[in-house]
Amino acid sequence: MFDFTLDAAEGSARAGRFTTPHGEIPTPSFMPVGTLGTVKALSMEEVEALGARMVLANTYHLYLRPGHELVRSLGGVHEFSRWRGPMLTDSGGYQVFSLAGTRRIHDDGVEFKSHIDGSAHSFTPEFVMEIQRALGADVVMAFDECPPGGCDRATAERACARTLAWLERCAKRFGELGCEEPGPSQALFPVLQGNVFDDLRDEHARRVRELGEWAGFGIGGLSVGEAKPDMWRTLEVLDDALPTDRPRYLMGVGYPDDLLEAIARGCDLFDCVAPTRNARHGTAWTSEEGQVNLKAARFRDDTGPLDAACDCATCGRYDRAYLRHLVVAGEWLAMRLLSIHNLRFLVRLGEEARSRIGEGSFDGWRRDWLQRYRKEGSRQ
Amino acid sequence: MFDFTLDAAEGSARAGRFTTPHGEIPTPSFMPVGTLGTVKALSMEEVEALGARMVLANTYHLYLRPGHELVRSLGGVHEFSRWRGPMLTDSGGYQVFSLAGTRRIHDDGVEFKSHIDGSAHSFTPEFVMEIQRALGADVVMAFDECPPGGCDRATAERACARTLAWLERCAKRFGELGCEEPGPSQALFPVLQGNVFDDLRDEHARRVRELGEWAGFGIGGLSVGEAKPDMWRTLEVLDDALPTDRPRYLMGVGYPDDLLEAIARGCDLFDCVAPTRNARHGTAWTSEEGQVNLKAARFRDDTGPLDAACDCATCGRYDRAYLRHLVVAGEWLAMRLLSIHNLRFLVRLGEEARSRIGEGSFDGWRRDWLQRYRKEGSRQ
């Protein structure tokens, strides 16, 4: 039910196809985040129309509200959210570790308090597998410990050891659940840790690979505050350490320029809340002007589209003057129209990278694209 | 360019067609409110898809933001908002009178402070015509004084006198603007005042009719806090006082039951923010259960549509369990899906009333409908 085919490669950049029970994802591919079973402000028809192929949902959030057992009884997260294509649920680990001050980590798992009502909860590797089984996404992520960017080596080492121990427990429970009950066909991705310590990354990846034949790998512990050159170097270490015939999902990335840098270093799948969070602040990405904020006075009477090179529903129908008006007035429609554009921008970037890799023109295109984007972005 | 044809009548209820430069509106018809050139949370494609024929925009809001001259330079409110059908702008009178404590009324007009930044502004009848000319909607409303519901007779009399004096000034300036410059073809509707004093209403309507050949009439000063029986009686007074061959727009109404009561008393056009405001609070109207709030625990695992009798996009695709989840989690999509449903509910009520009036079965249907709706509503 799960397969990854490499169609082309250029340097470390790869054009592949990841097959899941709910369909195929041509890679590289950006995955919109549908935290609570909805991509903020959008309908799933809109998410589909903008070309997204796989959608994320958050285990932590759905566990708290409406509850994983309710989602199961309603037919699982696909049926619940009306997304018919491939889905992935994260492990909730990143969320509960972010609850600084209200969570306690120990070897068995994490105790934490709900951000909604302060009620006490506990995640163990086994329980997280049970929750994700109930949600029923195609890809489920192992429960890992993600230390903050800039942590010292000893902290990173401890997190790697714990993540490895938890991975064994996740894999065991995941296997049991697949045998015990009827349910969806799912694949478990391990999450790779090791911060920006090259030898730790290499060692951790090797030990994870020894634990099983994984259908794909999650790359965790990046985009958490480390310097960009450290992130790129770490991806290069992992590019050597990971098998080429499995998809690599770089978690929490990212911005358009980060996406291209990571694609160049062999990453295939991505997710980030930036497209929708930026939309909420009136910020949009453009091909020719980099990142712009629609509140700027210069857009007041600008009757051009947000991005003349974009094929999204927003750019096809609305002009900058109207979008600026909606943003300034705080209208709900602003959030929606900018989200559609920003998501399409990243999805299209993946599509174009794939096509360029197929032609062997990816690297030159990427350099030109980044130079133009960054130059314009720095002028804002 | 403006015409009103009566296709059928049953008692005082009328099925008509109101023709405007941007198209025909079969009446009775509910008009969604697009305050700032957007119906909150919806795209104009969605507004069109739910069957709305005419959309409102608010003069006060567009004057403050983005400014009527900017809207004019961008091609007028149709081009600006991407609504291609008939549009109506209110006079802004109701909004500035609502700014209690920050506005001063005198015979020449109203001085008020912006709700956005406290800046000082002044509306006169002439200026309001100029703003609405710049916005360019099909129907523009005269600048009137709307006293609060429950005001004494002397207050209502003074408001009638001032409204009449202002109407003369509006009509004069409206005529000048139509001659002076090229621009859209527009119709000016007077606004009828007189609170719930029958003789004042009758007298005021008579004097307004003496002032000109109006293309239609706005019924103001109702749904502002008076008792429902007073509102229905006042509409009966006006039904006798107004010509049958002109559309009657009951301003600020309303809820589904109010809509049917007003249609039975000869009203043709309606507007209200209730459908979208209620959506924001998780409230929806249903044919069989009256008004419901999606937060109710009984909807937690309800896999039925919000309203089995409804043909809207929300009821066609989503179930109550998912809608409840979105409402409880405060998701943006909740506002949007419930707005689509609530607006379609009122639009469909107008459509069915029209069809029933054509068949001569309106009155019995209305009684049955109201009895069922109110019985169920009272159980909530």
Side-chain angles (χ1 to χ4, degrees), chain A residues 36-38 40-41 43 45-46 65-66 74 80 82 303 317-319 322 325-326 331-332 335-336, chain B residues 36-38 40-41 43 45-46 65-66 74 80 82 303 317-319 322 325-326 331-332 335-336:
Chain A
L36 278 154
T38 163
K40 299 245 177 269
S43 69
E45 292 97 314
E46 283 167 329
R65 203 160 56 181
L74 293 169
F80 182 63
R82 304 294 197 261
T303 54
R317 186 170 173 100
Y318 298 95
D319 61 31
Y322 183 65
H325 164 66
L326 295 179
E331 279 289 341
W332 301 63
M335 165 68 179
R336 179 171 159 194
Chain B
L36 278 154
T38 163
K40 298 244 177 271
S43 69
E45 293 96 315
E46 283 167 329
R65 205 162 56 183
L74 293 168
F80 182 64
R82 304 295 197 262
T303 54
R317 186 167 174 103
Y318 299 96
D319 61 31
Y322 184 64
H325 164 65
L326 295 179
E331 279 289 341
W332 302 63
M335 165 67 179
R336 181 173 158 192

Side-chain angles (χ1 to χ4, degrees), chain A residues 113-126:
Chain A
K113 292 206 162 64
S114 157
H115 73 284
I116 300 167
D117 60 7
S119 55
H121 301 266
S122 170
F123 274 0
T124 63
E126 290 80 8

Side-chain angles (χ1 to χ4, degrees), chain B residues 13-314:
Chain B
R14 307 123 58 83
R17 273 173 291 130
F18 179 39
T19 306
T20 76
H22 283 86
E24 189 179 84
I25 304 117
T27 64
S29 183
F30 180 83
M31 306 180 285
V33 180
T35 301
L36 278 154
T38 163
V39 177
K40 298 244 177 271
L42 301 194
S43 69
M44 286 303 189
E45 293 96 315
E46 283 167 329
V47 176
E48 195 179 335
L50 64 83
R53 303 299 283 259
M54 189 165 195
V55 166
L56 240 81
N58 286 116
T59 291
Y60 165 80
H61 289 92
L62 287 172
Y63 158 75
L64 288 178
R65 205 162 56 183
H68 58 294
E69 288 299 351
L70 180 62
V71 174
R72 190 209 306 262
S73 77
L74 293 168
V77 69
H78 283 94
E79 180 64 23
F80 182 64
S81 69
R82 304 295 197 262
W83 177 255
R84 308 305 189 189
M87 290 192 86
L88 178 152
T89 43
D90 66 359
S91 71
Y94 185 78
Q95 272 80 21
V96 297
F97 287 111
S98 304
L99 298 168
T102 62
R103 50 97 177 126
R104 199 173 65 85
I105 311 172
H106 46 81
D107 283 342
D108 193 46
V110 183
E111 289 163 36
F112 62 95
K113 292 207 163 63
S114 157
H115 73 283
I116 301 166
D117 61 6
S119 55
H121 299 266
S122 171
F123 273 0
T124 62
E126 290 80 8
F127 186 44
V128 163
M129 291 299 101
E130 289 158 18
I131 299 171
Q132 291 189 83
R133 181 78 188 161
L135 296 175
D138 301 277
V139 173
V140 308
M141 302 301 295
F143 192 59
D144 62 316
E145 178 177 352
C146 180
C151 72
D152 61 24
R153 186 184 172 89
T155 303
E157 275 178 2
R158 275 196 306 272
C160 281
R162 188 173 269 156
T163 294
L164 205 66
W166 286 359
L167 178 58
E168 283 202 70
R169 290 168 55 187
C170 283
K172 181 162 177 288
R173 187 69 188 128
F174 178 77
E176 291 165 358
L177 289 165
C179 299
E180 270 173 11
E181 43 176 345
S185 178
Q186 297 181 296
L188 171 66
F189 280 21
V191 178
L192 303 172
Q193 291 292 348
N195 208 268
V196 293
F197 301 101
D198 295 359
D199 57 330
L200 270 190
R201 282 283 180 183
D202 188 64
E203 160 85 2
H204 185 65
R206 192 179 54 73
R207 297 197 56 183
V208 165
R209 292 185 63 182
E210 286 168 4
L211 282 187
E213 265 297 322
W214 309 107
F217 296 85
I219 301 175
L222 290 178
S223 201
V224 290
E226 77 284 353
K228 284 288 164 71
D230 287 334
M231 174 157 141
W232 308 144
R233 199 192 62 251
T234 303
L235 289 180
E236 288 159 13
V237 169
L238 288 172
D239 184 33
D240 289 338
L242 292 175
T244 55
D245 61 351
R246 293 289 187 277
R248 303 156 179 181
Y249 157 34
L250 178 57
M251 303 169 78
V253 172
Y255 279 68
D257 46 346
D258 295 342
L259 209 70
L260 286 191
E261 296 284 16
I263 291 170
R265 289 163 178 86
C267 295
D268 308 299
L269 297 167
F270 309 87
D271 81 289
C272 190
V273 295
T276 44
R277 195 186 49 208
N278 282 8
R280 217 145 48 226
H281 300 138
T283 301
W285 298 313
T286 69
S287 316
E288 297 295 327
E289 295 169 64
Q291 183 169 307
V292 301
N293 193 301
L294 267 300
K295 289 179 190 151
R298 67 189 165 104
F299 298 129
R300 194 171 173 274
D301 56 359
D302 187 339
T303 54
L306 177 48
D307 182 352
C310 183
D311 58 2
C312 82
T314 301

Side-chain angles (χ1 to χ4, degrees), chain A residues 36-114:
Chain A
L36 278 154
T38 163
V39 177
K40 299 245 177 269
L42 301 194
S43 69
M44 287 302 188
E45 292 97 314
E46 283 167 329
V47 176
E48 195 179 335
L50 64 84
R53 303 298 283 261
M54 187 164 196
V55 166
L56 241 79
N58 287 116
T59 291
Y60 165 79
H61 289 92
L62 288 171
Y63 158 75
L64 288 179
R65 203 160 56 181
H68 58 293
E69 287 300 349
L70 181 63
V71 174
R72 190 209 305 263
S73 76
L74 293 169
V77 68
H78 282 95
E79 179 66 24
F80 182 63
S81 69
R82 304 294 197 261
W83 177 256
R84 308 305 187 188
M87 290 192 87
L88 179 152
T89 42
D90 66 0
S91 70
Y94 184 79
Q95 272 80 22
V96 296
F97 288 111
S98 304
L99 298 169
T102 62
R103 50 99 178 123
R104 199 170 65 83
I105 310 173
H106 47 80
D107 283 341
D108 194 46
V110 183
E111 289 163 36
F112 61 94
K113 292 206 162 64
S114 157

